[in-house]
Amino acid sequence: MSHIEKKHSPPARFRIVDLFAGPGGLDVAADVLGYQVTGIEWDKDACATREAAGLDTFQGDVRHYRAAFFPHAQVLTGGPPCQTFTVAGNGAGRRALEKVVRYIKRLHDAVRENGDDWENIFRTWRKISEELRVKEIEAEELRAEKRKLEESRTTERKALKRKLAQLGNSPADIKSLLKTLDAPQDLDGFSDDEIKHLAKRLGDLSNQIDKLKGRLEELGDERTGLVLQPLWWVIERSKRPGSEPYEAVVLEQVPAVMPVWAEYAEVLKTLGYRTGRQLMHTEEFGVPQTRRRAVLMARLDQGTPANERRPLPAVPETHDRYRPGGGFRDPLPRTDKNGHEAWVSMEKALAAAGIPARPPFTVVSNYGTGGVPEARGRRDHDVPSATITGKVSRNRVVHKGTDTDLDAPLDRFSAAEAGVLQTFPVAYPWSGKDVPQQIGNAVPPRLALHVLRKVLEPELSEEVARERLREATARLQAWEPVGPVEARTHDGLKGHPLTGR
């Protein structure tokens, strides 16, 4: 049995196709709101979780599916990969953004210049896809070459360490020397020819690897092209003969993607949509975690002239923003002058999920802060969590005010607990491998509740909308899987509710 078959009574029963669906953060939110949702996800571990959760899923690369395969979908959602925009060093992230923006502008030009000439619009997309594929193939070859060089460098490094040890250098001296070794002249103090040869070889390999890194940065990777997929799905549904435009579009990602959403919005406006972009702080929507997400929202409004279409209103915050050092800890229930509730602490969220209480604790992050790896971030139990990442299982849970771990297993967050801090139900059936990474990559369901409700149900009054969110939040917290459902592949398109085949 799949959740797509469950019955609720929302204001409108939208049918959603969710690209890059992950383990199901947006999908479970859509489910408790009463919408039908089908996700497309390639990662086998995320698909294992989706299967256990009973979420309707097509497993595979989004690029191997098309909007035309799902003609009955009314809403497009998704969170395309973002890693290429967040990498540090040498401006690689900025260059990746610039490339994507240029591709979007080319698609926009094709839409504006060709009107309803689908063949010419499609020809532009096909050319872009071919360019990206050529770069992807070249990048794959370069990565293979880089792996071989890195293996050789490891071998040479071990040989150099052995030789230095034979000459009486201490492990600390060897470690320090290797850390600062940039060129053979760093070993001028040694007369041993073998050492000089190994050092030169190590330096040459490092130079070759650095050059390959530079070429790979210039090429980008397949994730750059994947960011274009949601836009192309919208264009295809809007311009392909016989297709109907999506009624709404919701896309989310890290803040670095906001310039991409700005370019997306311009294309969507040309296609007849009202749009809105919003940088959302998750704790302001009841998520017990500080995290920022860039959200693009659109609703079809072709009946209004383009110059008269008003931007979509922002999704209203319901909770306070957490401000570290503000002197405000786990509060009693209250509302401020704007009607906002207090932010939700880790302790409160875990208790509400029925998880046994710990003694007062502090979470010590696996990451450093302020650019200092050794300066681990710390958050106490009575405030929201720091951003949940794929390394959440490495975070230490210590007695508050100390550096002493709680007794095992309370010294680490379980998958269920980490999921709760992302606002997944405590009963969510995390499955497959690398569950912490699945959790860290997921859309917080409670954030998705707010966005979907606002975009898909704008007609509701403030009072009705508030009650709708309250009921949906209660259903989310009490949600349990109805039973596993096997993910589909291309063979499963026939007979699916969204395909009409």
Side-chain angles (χ1 to χ4, degrees):
M1 181 176 181
S2 166
H3 278 207
I4 201 169
E5 299 165 335
K6 288 185 69 175
K7 301 294 182 183
H8 295 299
S9 297
R13 189 170 169 78
F14 286 103
R15 298 182 296 273
I16 301 172
V17 61
D18 185 23
L19 308 184
F20 314 99
L26 183 141
D27 303 56
V28 71
D31 179 63
V32 299
L33 284 167
Y35 306 138
Q36 295 180 329
V37 59
T38 295
I40 302 176
E41 172 59 43
W42 74 273
D43 181 73
K44 67 180 188 305
D45 297 316
C47 285
T49 294
R50 294 179 63 85
E51 289 178 325
L55 298 176
D56 193 54
T57 305
F58 281 88
Q59 183 173 357
D61 190 327
V62 165
R63 292 170 295 187
H64 298 162
Y65 293 85
R66 291 181 57 185
F69 293 176
F70 305 96
H72 297 309
Q74 301 161 297
V75 178
L76 180 74
T77 63
C82 65
Q83 290 91 333
T84 48
F85 304 142
T86 57
V87 293
N90 300 322
R94 175 181 51 79
R95 289 195 294 273
L97 272 171
E98 291 172 350
K99 289 177 184 177
V100 168
V101 167
R102 287 197 295 270
Y103 283 127
I104 294 172
K105 289 181 181 294
R106 283 174 61 182
L107 284 170
H108 196 185
D109 288 343
V111 169
R112 284 183 297 202
E113 294 169 5
N114 293 291
D116 293 326
D117 186 348
W118 166 247
E119 292 299 326
N120 276 328
I121 294 172
F122 181 72
R123 190 173 293 114
T124 298
W125 171 248
R126 186 170 57 192
K127 186 174 181 180
I128 289 173
S129 299
E130 290 171 352
E131 291 174 12
L132 289 169
R133 180 56 182 158
V134 168
K135 290 182 178 181
E136 183 179 346
I137 292 171
E138 184 178 353
E140 288 173 356
E141 294 173 349
L142 291 177
R143 281 192 289 269
E145 183 180 352
K146 178 170 166 283
R147 283 192 296 270
K148 290 181 180 179
L149 290 173
E150 287 171 338
E151 291 171 0
S152 296
R153 184 172 64 177
T154 298
T155 300
E156 298 289 345
R157 194 176 185 87
K158 289 179 179 178
L160 181 56
K161 287 176 67 175
R162 286 194 301 269
K163 185 63 179 176
L164 289 169
Q166 291 171 5
L167 293 176
N169 292 277
S170 69
D173 288 340
I174 293 172
K175 183 177 180 180
S176 176
L177 188 148
L178 291 175
K179 188 175 181 180
T180 58
L181 180 62
D182 294 320
Q185 55 265 34
D186 291 326
L187 286 175
D188 282 344
F190 294 93
S191 60
D192 191 285
D193 289 339
E194 185 178 355
I195 284 184
K196 291 185 176 181
H197 172 76
L198 288 170
K200 183 178 187 309
R201 174 66 178 155
L202 196 61
D204 290 344
L205 287 169
S206 294
N207 288 335
Q208 292 178 59
I209 291 169
D210 288 341
K211 289 178 181 179
L212 288 177
K213 286 180 179 178
R215 290 172 62 190
L216 283 167
E217 283 185 4
E218 291 175 4
L219 287 171
D221 63 26
E222 66 275 7
R223 291 170 295 190
T224 301
L226 288 172
V227 176
L228 300 173
Q229 284 293 323
L231 180 61
W232 177 246
W233 281 53
V234 177
I235 292 171
E236 182 175 348
R237 279 288 296 266
S238 298
K239 293 297 184 179
R240 188 174 186 270
S243 297
E244 292 291 330
Y246 292 113
E247 294 186 35
V249 178
V250 174
L251 302 172
E252 68 84 40
Q253 251 309 335
V254 295
V257 181
M258 194 64 93
V260 173
W261 292 164
E263 293 298 328
Y264 258 61
E266 294 304 312
V267 184
L268 292 171
K269 291 173 188 176
T270 298
L271 295 172
Y273 288 87
R274 295 175 63 199
T275 68
R277 293 178 295 125
Q278 187 170 348
L279 183 62
M280 305 179 77
H281 294 253
T282 58
E283 77 272 21
E284 293 184 299
F285 299 89
V287 179
Q289 172 194 174
T290 55
R291 187 186 193 103
R292 297 190 306 157
R293 304 303 286 177
V295 179
L296 172 66
M297 303 163 281
R299 278 301 299 253
L300 189 65
D301 186 15
Q302 293 179 325
T304 303
N307 60 351
E308 297 179 16
R309 288 193 210 111
R310 298 172 63 87
L312 288 180
V315 181
E317 298 87 356
T318 55
H319 292 68
D320 287 336
R321 184 178 301 181
Y322 171 67
R323 303 183 188 280
F328 181 53
R329 312 297 275 189
D330 211 1
L332 295 172
R334 67 170 185 84
T335 56
D336 64 13
K337 63 182 180 180
N338 296 316
H340 292 174
E341 299 178 34
W343 40 253
V344 181
S345 70
M346 290 183 275
E347 185 174 56
K348 185 174 181 180
L350 295 171
I355 293 172
R358 287 174 167 83
F361 63 85
T362 297
V363 179
V364 181
S365 173
N366 180 62
Y367 292 98
T369 60
V372 182
E374 294 77 16
R376 305 296 184 181
R378 301 173 73 95
R379 288 281 179 95
D380 291 339
H381 61 101
D382 50 2
V383 300
S385 168
T387 300
I388 298 296
T389 72
K391 307 300 183 184
V392 63
S393 61
R394 300 184 187 179
N395 292 350
R396 297 169 54 219
V397 184
V398 303
H399 289 277
K400 184 177 179 180
T402 76
D403 202 40
T404 304
D405 289 0
L406 269 61
D407 292 338
L410 301 181
D411 59 336
R412 298 290 189 274
F413 285 133
S414 67
E417 291 171 324
V420 166
L421 296 180
Q422 276 277 56
T423 65
F424 278 89
V426 69
Y428 209 70
W430 299 103
S431 303
K433 298 178 181 179
D434 206 357
V435 167
Q437 192 67 53
Q438 293 184 50
I439 296 171
N441 287 346
V443 180
R446 188 156 177 179
L447 181 70
L449 278 182
H450 284 263
V451 176
L452 291 173
R453 207 293 310 158
K454 181 65 175 178
V455 175
L456 301 184
E457 304 169 10
E459 73 282 358
L460 298 187
S461 68
E462 184 177 334
E463 181 179 352
V464 173
R466 187 163 48 246
E467 180 62 17
R468 176 104 162 99
L469 279 173
R470 188 192 66 77
E471 292 176 352
T473 301
R475 285 198 296 270
L476 176 64
Q477 189 168 339
W479 181 98
E480 293 185 357
V482 297
V485 58
E486 187 176 352
R488 307 168 189 256
T489 62
H490 266 271
D491 294 338
L493 288 167
K494 186 174 181 180
H496 188 274
L498 295 187
T499 67
R501 296 188 180 187

